[in-house]
Amino acid sequence: FLALYGAACWMMSIMMDASNEHFVFECRTMLTILQNLLMFLSQLTSLGLFMAAYMNLYPNLPEVIITVSIAVLAWALGGKYFGRHMATCMPLEFFHFPFIVQLMSGPSAVLGQSGRTRLRARAKRRAGRLSKRAFGEGTTADPGDPGWSGASSSPSRRTFGSVGELLRA
């Protein structure tokens, strides 16, 4: 179902690109649900792999212990580097994830005081860069502006309502 919902969102974004400038922004709730489902399914898959290793090797206890230990080590190391990657490359987004997602993705960035401090500082720097890029360079209109209608004819205040429009520019 996750793949079907994702494909439906992708196809609708292509079809709605010309008629609805802000389709991707308006789909953020659906995309958040899809992201949460994907993370939940990845955790269930990991659990299923551990259970399968146990069930297939059950009578031979030493083999079960070795196999599950290697799987847990690979899973933990992969999760550690994935969380570090997310906290470093997309700190603002990672900072605004729900706590349970942060905890599952990168516990080192949210459990320790120094990790939280570094994440908060990186998130503030990224927010500043995005704000400067969005409003300081004049490439997009400010949605908080009462006169903002979503479209602008001025080239200096051009809005990009969809990914396709941004890529074509």
Side-chain angles (χ1 to χ4, degrees), residues 26-67:
E26 291 168 356
C27 287
R28 67 190 181 277
T29 303
M30 180 66 174
L31 294 174
T32 301
I33 291 169
L34 288 173
Q35 172 68 23
N36 290 339
L37 281 174
L38 181 64
M39 293 190 72
F40 181 67
L41 286 175
S42 68
Q43 298 298 324
L44 284 180
T45 302
S46 299
L47 178 66
L49 288 173
F50 296 136
M51 289 174 55
Y54 175 76
M55 296 304 276
N56 285 332
L57 299 172
Y58 173 65
N60 305 323
L61 192 58
E63 292 175 3
V64 171
I65 293 172
I66 291 170
T67 304

Side-chain angles (χ1 to χ4, degrees), residues 39 81-91 94 97 101 105:
M39 293 190 72
Y81 287 110
F82 180 72
R84 186 182 297 167
H85 175 72
M86 286 177 43
T88 303
C89 294
M90 47 186 253
F94 187 76
F97 281 164
V101 175
S105 301

Side-chain angles (χ1 to χ4, degrees), residues 1 4 20 35 77 105 111 118 121 154:
F1 291 112
L4 291 174
N20 187 353
Q35 172 68 23
L77 285 175
S105 301
L111 289 180
R118 283 193 307 265
S154 169

